[in-house]
Structure formats: C-alpha cells, structure tokens
Amino acid sequence: MTSPERRSAVHPVRVYYEDTDHGGVVYHANYLRFMERARTEMLRDCGFELDRLEQDDGVIFAVRRASLDFIAPARFNDLLRVETEITVKGAVRMTFAQKIYQQERLLCSGEVEVVCLEARRFRPTAIPARLAAAIPLAPLP
Amino acid sequence: MTSPERRSAVHPVRVYYEDTDHGGVVYHANYLRFMERARTEMLRDCGFELDRLEQDDGVIFAVRRASLDFIAPARFNDLLRVETEITVKGAVRMTFAQKIYQQERLLCSGEVEVVCLEARRFRPTAIPARLAAAIPLAPLP
Amino acid sequence: MTSPERRSAVHPVRVYYEDTDHGGVVYHANYLRFMERARTEMLRDCGFELDRLEQDDGVIFAVRRASLDFIAPARFNDLLRVETEITVKGAVRMTFAQKIYQQERLLCSGEVEVVCLEARRFRPTAIPARLAAAIPLAPLP
Amino acid sequence: MTSPERRSAVHPVRVYYEDTDHGGVVYHANYLRFMERARTEMLRDCGFELDRLEQDDGVIFAVRRASLDFIAPARFNDLLRVETEITVKGAVRMTFAQKIYQQERLLCSGEVEVVCLEARRFRPTAIPARLAAAIPLAPLP
C-alpha cells in the first residue's frame, strides 16, 4: 500500500526454505529478490504493471547499481516487511531506498538504481511520462 | 566427457552456499538445476550449443516431465558428479536418466523428459536432424 | 485457506523476474519452490508453523520424491494459484497432490512425497501426533 | 588459480538457463552468487575449505556489505570470468574487489565485505590466524 502522505510502500515477504542457506539464515543475494518484489508491488500500487509497460511502451527496467548493508540475519519462517521509497527520479533513472524489517528490527538496508531500457535493444530511454508523473518521490529527510 | 562406449556423460557440480538451505543440505529444487547443467554440458560435448540452436535453428528445449528420487542429502562444499544418459529419443522428445553422486554414494536419481519447441511460439517441433543423429542413446540395460 | 469441505488449500503466487528464465517463462525448477510455499501455508492454516515444529518437536520435513508434469508455461507477472491436497498420510510420510493454475488453466501438476525426519540426525521419525490428527486428507476421487 | 605475483584469482562461470531471467540476461541478484563461488574457490586455492573452517575452527563468513555496478548484461551460455582480489584484511573482516568479464568486456564490478562469525552464535570473531596469514592482499593500485 502506498500512501501519499508517507510516500513509501510496504510489502510483506515470508521466508521459506528456498530463501535460506546452510547458515540457517536468508542467503544474502535473496534480499535483492525481496527488494525487487517490493519495487514491482510499489509500481503496481501506483497502477503500473511491468508486463504491460513492456508490451505497451516497449520498456523494461534494469538494475544499474545496488548497495546493500546486511545488518542482522532473517531466519526461516520470518515474516519480513520491505519498505520502499523513491529518492531520485531522473529522466531515465530512479533510485529506490529499501529497508527490510522483521518486526521493528532493521535487517537489511539498500539503495537500488534502476534504468529504463528499450526492451528490444537494451538502450536507455525515457521513463514513460505517465509513470514518471505517478510515482511518488520521498520527501527530503 | 561423453564416451561412445559408456554413452553417458559425467558433469561435476560443486555445492556452494547458494545451493543449500536451512536444513544444511542442498535444497531439493536445486537438483533440477544441477541436472539441467549436466544436460547442457552433454549436448555441448556432442558439439551443440543451446544458444546457437536457438539462433540458427529457432528451437529451444523445455522440460515436459520430471520425476525425482531424493535418496540422501548433498551437503555444503560437496563435489558432486552428475551422470546423464539419454534413454528415449523421439521425433520431438528426449528422455534423460540422470544420477547425482557424491563419491560412490547415490544421492538423487531422476528422469527428465524434454521437448523441442519452436522458440517463438512454444510449439513442439522436430529435433534438428544433425542433433538427433549425434546424441548418443544409452544401451538397453 | 483450507476448508473442511474441500479439504484442499489454495495459495496465490505472483511470478516475479526472479522466477523467469531466458525463455520468458517460469524456470521449471521454480514450480517446486511454489509448491513448497503452498505446503508450508497449508500447514500454517492448520495451525502448524514449521519453525516451531523444528524447535519444539525436533522434526523437519524433507522431500523424498517428486514428479512433475509441466503442461503450459507461466509467464512474468502472472498471478498463479497453487491448489494442494494431502492424498496419503502415513506414520512418517505424507503425499501432496499439487496443481498450479493461471486463472482456469492448469499449468503444472505434481505429486510430492515428504518424510518426517529428526532434525539433528536426518532419520525418519513419526509425524507428531497432533499434526497427524489435524491435517486434512483429501477424499477419494 | 591464485598467483602470488598477480595476487588475484580467476574463476570461470558458465551461464545456464537457471541464471537468466525474462529479459534474456543474467538476473541481477545472481552476480552475487557468482561472486561468492569465486571467493570460495579463491580460499580453496589458498588451501582453505569453508566446511572444514566451520567444523575445525567454528567460524563462518557472512556478507556484511555489498555494492555492485551492473555495466553490461551477461547472456545465456556465456562463459564468464570472475576476477577476485582482497583489498582490505582486518582482524575480523575482509573486503573483496570482484570483476566479472565476458572475454575482455567488463560486465559487473563489485565490492563485498565479509565478516568472520562464530558459527554457533553469529558473533564477530577473529579470522583464524593461518587463514589470515595465507590470503593474499592485492597490491595498492
């Protein structure tokens, strides 16, 4: 759910066996999967389906940069909460700030920059105008 | 390596953290990934690259059926061996018998049926003739 | 949700980028992940959390056998529905029949046998009695 | 292979179907998997097996921070090369600089900080002395 006041979106993620590793905790690369699910749901909440954007506008979004801080481990069967904000909105790029919590404990925090690409040729292209207009930008802290 | 006498191919797989789960062993779905790697390498050993087959012949292979028997768990850092034979070769289908060992211990055994598809339309189509001719069929037991 | 009348459980699964492959469809091994999520949620609906069962009863469930029929491909952004029934309930084993649909179209059907293991030693052990009593057995067809 | 002169390790990675996504390229989170395989092999080349370190020394390594730059996409069937250097060696931490190439083209570059943990309690602990002595530190650029 995205509220115009908070300008952030919250997405729940349950930790299944598939997400954990031999250490008994979530495998580090999987936080990137959780973050992408949350970005996809944030855009859906704003009215945009990524498969429609690809078919209708010929664009996809690719991750260009990511930085992750792994603070505490998530465990099997945890119900996590991914909070997502858009902190930078450029002509072809967006930066998402994402935080993953288990209850009130921050487990992982990351910044992910995505770039809008022509689906066919993988070249950077402008974010479709109605999407750019609709996505909420987080307030300055 | 595929030898005409044995008519089976052997592919080594190292178990990394990414492959294990909270139980400390390889996550069951990942044996399907290991088996696909071994099928890909078997075809490469026969002289066929799957990306070239897609570009040049317009075909891909999709898994149509799989049955798996999980006998004993593989563990983190194990060096596994996937043995692969082709047991059935039809006009559009092939069946692979695959066994995963850690040293002499059988851990997982499976049968995987793949079907040749037109890459664009996902419709069954004949296995390219030079591939059908080249792939070794396992002898009757 | 599990209803005593239908004795089957339904679990929704959204297809994200992480689930798809180069063919544009869900990678075959990932249906096993979706099926495991659905089994976990079915047990949760019956009042059993797998992490509690491990901590309190010292048991885990491991997949012993799986057979899968891949009928039609699921695509990126599809909202799937996994229907799960328990068809066999033994002292140490359970067999789940699972079907994955996109709307009314059956995409994948499978049978998964799980065995109850002592978490420490990975030896088969009896399914805890209160779980065995609570899980619904599908009616004969 | 790790050479004392170059003080970097090179690990080959083949891209299989499992690694790709609907965009036809390697799914972004999977570069973290490739990088971990390369770190594991670098330590193995130095004479250290992670499962032995856990059993004998009671330590595991967890990723504490990662930053990734996705420069160009890797494609299905590409044979990649992961180059790994250790740039910082502290009492409990190590930082790896890792670059993934397809032939001479740089596809992904990252920095990964790992921390040595007591395997039982997940608390930071000193890197075992013989490992700290053996791992090669990259020369200043």
Side-chain angles (χ1 to χ4, degrees):
Chain A
M1 304 139 291
T2 311
S3 83
E5 298 78 31
R6 295 190 54 246
R7 297 192 182 283
S8 81
V10 177
H11 178 63
V13 169
R14 175 70 71 173
V15 176
Y16 295 106
Y17 252 78
E18 62 181 276
D19 303 309
T20 57
D21 69 20
H22 161 73
V25 299
V26 168
Y27 182 66
H28 69 289
N30 290 339
Y31 293 99
L32 278 178
R33 292 167 50 211
F34 299 165
M35 287 178 175
E36 180 172 66
R37 295 181 200 173
R39 293 193 303 274
T40 304
E41 296 303 331
M42 186 195 210
L43 295 183
R44 195 190 320 283
D45 283 342
C46 295
F48 297 89
E49 302 281 334
L50 290 180
D51 57 342
R52 299 302 311 169
L53 280 169
E54 183 175 347
Q55 289 159 39
D56 298 347
D57 298 74
V59 298
I60 59 172
F61 291 93
V63 176
R64 180 65 186 77
R65 267 190 207 89
S67 62
L68 296 164
D69 210 355
F70 303 96
I71 298 156
R75 294 178 185 281
F76 171 62
N77 214 31
D78 279 352
L79 185 57
L80 308 178
R81 194 173 80 248
V82 188
E83 295 192 359
T84 302
E85 288 186 331
I86 298 174
T87 52
V88 180
K89 213 165 48 162
V92 301
R93 281 154 212 273
M94 291 185 282
T95 303
F96 295 78
Q98 304 194 270
K99 290 185 196 305
I100 302 182
Y101 293 90
Q102 197 262 331
Q103 296 187 11
E104 295 316 305
R105 195 176 182 205
L106 179 61
L107 305 183
C108 180
S109 146
E111 207 172 67
V112 180
E113 183 187 308
V114 304
V115 59
C116 185
L117 299 178
E118 293 173 45
R120 282 171 178 275
R121 298 190 298 172
F122 272 52
R123 291 206 199 152
T125 189
I127 297 170
R130 68 187 197 290
L131 171 58
I135 52 183
L137 197 62
L140 292 178
Chain B
M1 306 137 290
T2 310
S3 83
E5 299 77 33
R6 297 188 55 246
R7 296 192 182 282
S8 81
V10 177
H11 177 64
V13 169
R14 175 70 70 171
V15 177
Y16 294 106
Y17 252 78
E18 63 181 278
D19 303 310
T20 59
D21 69 20
H22 160 74
V25 299
V26 168
Y27 182 67
H28 69 289
N30 290 338
Y31 293 99
L32 278 178
R33 293 166 49 211
F34 298 166
M35 288 179 173
E36 180 172 67
R37 295 181 200 173
R39 294 194 303 274
T40 304
E41 296 303 331
M42 185 193 210
L43 295 183
R44 195 190 321 282
D45 282 343
C46 294
F48 297 89
E49 302 280 336
L50 290 180
D51 56 341
R52 300 302 312 169
L53 280 167
E54 183 176 346
Q55 289 158 38
D56 298 347
D57 298 74
V59 300
I60 59 172
F61 291 93
V63 175
R64 180 64 185 79
R65 266 191 209 87
S67 62
L68 297 164
D69 210 353
F70 303 96
I71 298 155
R75 294 178 185 280
F76 170 62
N77 213 31
D78 278 353
L79 184 57
L80 308 178
R81 193 173 79 247
V82 189
E83 295 192 1
T84 302
E85 288 186 332
I86 297 173
T87 53
V88 180
K89 211 165 49 162
V92 301
R93 280 154 213 273
M94 292 185 281
T95 302
F96 295 79
Q98 304 194 271
K99 289 186 198 305
I100 302 180
Y101 293 90
Q102 197 260 332
Q103 297 186 10
E104 295 316 305
R105 194 174 183 206
L106 179 62
L107 304 184
C108 181
S109 147
E111 208 172 66
V112 180
E113 183 187 309
V114 303
V115 59
C116 186
L117 299 179
E118 294 173 44
R120 282 170 177 276
R121 297 191 299 173
F122 272 54
R123 291 207 201 153
T125 190
I127 297 170
R130 68 186 198 290
L131 172 58
I135 52 183
L137 198 61
L140 292 178
Chain C
M1 304 138 291
T2 311
S3 82
E5 299 77 32
R6 298 189 55 247
R7 296 191 182 283
S8 80
V10 177
H11 177 64
V13 169
R14 175 70 70 171
V15 177
Y16 294 105
Y17 253 78
E18 62 181 279
D19 304 309
T20 58
D21 70 20
H22 161 74
V25 300
V26 168
Y27 182 66
H28 69 290
N30 290 338
Y31 292 100
L32 278 178
R33 293 166 50 211
F34 299 165
M35 288 178 174
E36 181 173 68
R37 295 181 201 173
R39 294 193 303 275
T40 304
E41 296 302 330
M42 186 193 210
L43 295 183
R44 195 190 320 281
D45 282 341
C46 295
F48 296 89
E49 303 280 335
L50 291 179
D51 56 342
R52 300 303 311 170
L53 280 168
E54 183 175 348
Q55 289 159 37
D56 298 347
D57 298 73
V59 299
I60 60 172
F61 291 92
V63 175
R64 179 65 186 78
R65 265 190 209 89
S67 63
L68 297 164
D69 210 354
F70 303 95
I71 298 155
R75 293 177 187 281
F76 171 62
N77 214 30
D78 279 353
L79 184 57
L80 309 177
R81 193 172 78 247
V82 188
E83 295 192 0
T84 302
E85 288 186 331
I86 297 174
T87 53
V88 179
K89 211 165 50 161
V92 301
R93 281 156 212 273
M94 292 185 282
T95 303
F96 295 80
Q98 303 193 271
K99 290 187 197 304
I100 301 180
Y101 292 90
Q102 198 261 331
Q103 297 186 12
E104 295 316 305
R105 194 174 183 208
L106 179 61
L107 305 184
C108 180
S109 146
E111 207 172 67
V112 180
E113 183 187 308
V114 304
V115 59
C116 186
L117 299 178
E118 294 174 44
R120 282 171 177 276
R121 298 190 300 173
F122 272 53
R123 292 206 200 152
T125 190
I127 297 170
R130 67 186 197 290
L131 171 58
I135 52 183
L137 197 62
L140 292 178
Chain D
M1 304 137 290
T2 312
S3 83
E5 297 77 32
R6 297 190 54 246
R7 297 191 182 282
S8 80
V10 177
H11 178 63
V13 169
R14 175 71 71 173
V15 176
Y16 295 106
Y17 252 78
E18 62 181 276
D19 303 310
T20 57
D21 69 20
H22 160 73
V25 298
V26 168
Y27 181 66
H28 69 289
N30 290 339
Y31 293 99
L32 278 178
R33 292 168 49 211
F34 298 166
M35 287 178 175
E36 180 172 67
R37 295 182 199 173
R39 293 193 304 273
T40 304
E41 296 303 331
M42 186 194 210
L43 295 183
R44 195 190 320 282
D45 282 342
C46 295
F48 296 89
E49 302 280 335
L50 290 180
D51 57 341
R52 299 302 312 168
L53 280 168
E54 183 176 346
Q55 289 159 38
D56 297 347
D57 297 75
V59 299
I60 60 172
F61 290 93
V63 175
R64 180 64 185 79
R65 268 191 207 86
S67 62
L68 297 164
D69 210 354
F70 303 96
I71 298 155
R75 294 179 185 280
F76 171 62
N77 214 31
D78 278 354
L79 185 57
L80 308 179
R81 193 172 82 247
V82 189
E83 296 192 359
T84 302
E85 288 185 331
I86 298 175
T87 52
V88 180
K89 212 166 48 161
V92 300
R93 282 155 211 274
M94 292 184 282
T95 303
F96 295 80
Q98 304 194 271
K99 291 186 196 304
I100 302 181
Y101 293 89
Q102 197 262 331
Q103 296 186 12
E104 296 316 306
R105 194 176 183 207
L106 179 62
L107 305 184
C108 180
S109 148
E111 207 172 65
V112 180
E113 183 188 308
V114 304
V115 59
C116 185
L117 298 178
E118 294 174 45
R120 282 171 178 277
R121 297 190 299 173
F122 272 53
R123 292 207 200 152
T125 189
I127 297 171
R130 66 186 199 290
L131 171 58
I135 52 182
L137 196 63
L140 292 179

